[in-house]
Amino acid sequence: MNDTLTYYNQNAKSFIETTVSVDFHDVQDKFLSYLPPSPEILDFGCGSGRDTKYFLKAGCLVDAIDGSPELCRYATEYTGIKVKQMVFEELNEYNRYDGIWACSSILHLPKKPLFFVLTQMTAALKKKGIIYTSFKYGTFQGKRNGRYFTDMSESTFTKLVQPIREITTEEMWITSDARPDRCDEKWLNVILRKSN
């Protein structure tokens, strides 16, 4: 994970330039449609702050975190809220959020810590709370372009979350990358719901 954070710290400017203005409202609105009015949301690995800003404009109460100090600085300035610098494994909340948005973020964890973090995310949700998360589509695990990735298919993700009894899969769908120069890349999108 340290190599991944080093990558984001060293490449924060170029990463922000390629992601901050990407139109992602279809998925953002789908996530919001599952949530109550004025929901409390955790943007879990907020990157540029693009999604945090969208949710704030939609009337949500948003906490945003990222592991990269450089991205936290930019996202704080861009969103107008204080973005907290912390790594995913440090999440230690209980029954707090209506929704957790983990857009192409927790995919940087190897499977064992990824499972642990998903259990922590589940604990941090209120009853009937929602998680949105996304992964590059496939079965690759390892370093790619200076960062660690765990890719997922429908079957590998289903197998990963099966032991977490408090959550069920509401939706799972595949999209093309929203960045114009990467439209041949496929993504697995997942919406999970915590039980009563």
Side-chain angles (χ1 to χ4, degrees), residues 25-93:
H25 75 269
D26 285 351
V27 181
Q28 293 161 331
D29 291 344
K30 186 191 280 274
F31 172 67
L32 291 176
S33 73
Y34 278 95
L35 302 178
S38 305
E40 286 194 57
I41 292 172
L42 173 63
D43 190 349
F44 200 46
C46 70
S48 66
R50 175 197 67 203
D51 303 323
T52 292
K53 193 162 192 169
Y54 188 88
F55 297 141
L56 288 168
K57 282 185 176 176
C60 308
L61 300 166
V62 187
D63 287 341
I65 73 106
D66 202 278
S68 159
E70 288 298 313
L71 290 177
C72 286
R73 270 196 287 279
Y74 178 87
T76 293
E77 189 179 312
Y78 181 68
T79 62
I81 67 166
K82 175 68 178 166
V83 174
K84 184 177 180 182
Q85 196 262 314
M86 62 178 262
V87 296
F88 299 124
E89 294 92 333
E90 291 177 309
L91 180 64
N92 188 25
E93 298 287 350

Side-chain angles (χ1 to χ4, degrees), residues 8 10 23 25 39 45 51 53 58 68 79 95 113 117 120 125 129 133 139 150 153 163 167 173 184 194:
Y8 282 115
Q10 291 176 348
D23 184 350
H25 75 269
D51 303 323
K53 193 162 192 169
S68 159
T79 62
N95 194 31
V117 165
Q120 296 297 95
L125 286 175
T133 189
T139 55
T150 296
S153 65
I167 53 173
W173 71 101
D184 57 332
K194 186 174 180 176

Side-chain angles (χ1 to χ4, degrees), residues 3-181:
D3 289 346
T4 301
L5 289 177
T6 300
Y7 172 92
Y8 282 115
N9 284 328
Q10 291 176 348
N11 297 277
K13 189 171 184 288
S14 60
F15 173 76
I16 288 159
E17 285 169 356
T18 58
T19 57
V20 72
S21 58
V22 170
D23 184 350
F24 214 64
H25 75 269
D26 285 351
V27 181
Q28 293 161 331
D29 291 344
K30 186 191 280 274
F31 172 67
L32 291 176
S33 73
Y34 278 95
L35 302 178
S38 305
E40 286 194 57
I41 292 172
L42 173 63
D43 190 349
F44 200 46
C46 70
S48 66
R50 175 197 67 203
D51 303 323
T52 292
K53 193 162 192 169
Y54 188 88
F55 297 141
L56 288 168
K57 282 185 176 176
C60 308
L61 300 166
V62 187
D63 287 341
I65 73 106
D66 202 278
S68 159
E70 288 298 313
L71 290 177
C72 286
R73 270 196 287 279
Y74 178 87
T76 293
E77 189 179 312
Y78 181 68
T79 62
I81 67 166
K82 175 68 178 166
V83 174
K84 184 177 180 182
Q85 196 262 314
M86 62 178 262
V87 296
F88 299 124
E89 294 92 333
E90 291 177 309
L91 180 64
N92 188 25
E93 298 287 350
Y94 180 72
N95 194 31
R96 177 161 176 191
Y97 296 106
D98 297 297
I100 298 177
W101 175 266
C103 180
S104 57
S105 59
I106 59 174
L107 52 64
H108 290 308
L109 295 168
K111 273 192 177 171
K112 196 170 180 180
L114 175 59
F115 177 79
F116 170 76
V117 165
L118 281 162
T119 64
Q120 296 297 95
M121 291 166 72
T122 303
L125 286 175
K126 297 174 185 174
K127 290 176 181 178
K128 296 188 178 179
I130 295 292
I131 292 170
Y132 165 78
T133 189
S134 57
F135 298 84
K136 287 180 183 287
Y137 191 76
T139 55
F140 176 82
Q141 293 177 65
K143 277 192 189 171
R144 183 197 283 130
N145 302 327
R147 293 169 288 173
Y148 189 94
F149 286 91
T150 296
D151 296 356
M152 286 285 176
S153 65
E154 297 92 336
S155 59
T156 56
F157 186 81
T158 299
K159 187 178 178 184
L160 178 72
V161 297
Q162 205 165 19
I164 309 175
R165 295 186 177 175
E166 303 95 329
I167 53 173
T168 54
T169 303
E170 288 281 324
E171 279 192 70
M172 205 180 273
W173 71 101
I174 297 165
T175 53
S176 295
D177 198 298
R179 292 165 290 187
D181 60 328

Side-chain angles (χ1 to χ4, degrees), residues 182-196:
R182 302 223 193 150
C183 55
D184 57 332
E185 290 184 26
K186 301 297 182 194
W187 288 79
L188 180 70
N189 302 265
V190 186
I191 288 183
L192 303 165
R193 185 189 295 276
K194 186 174 180 176
S195 62
N196 293 328

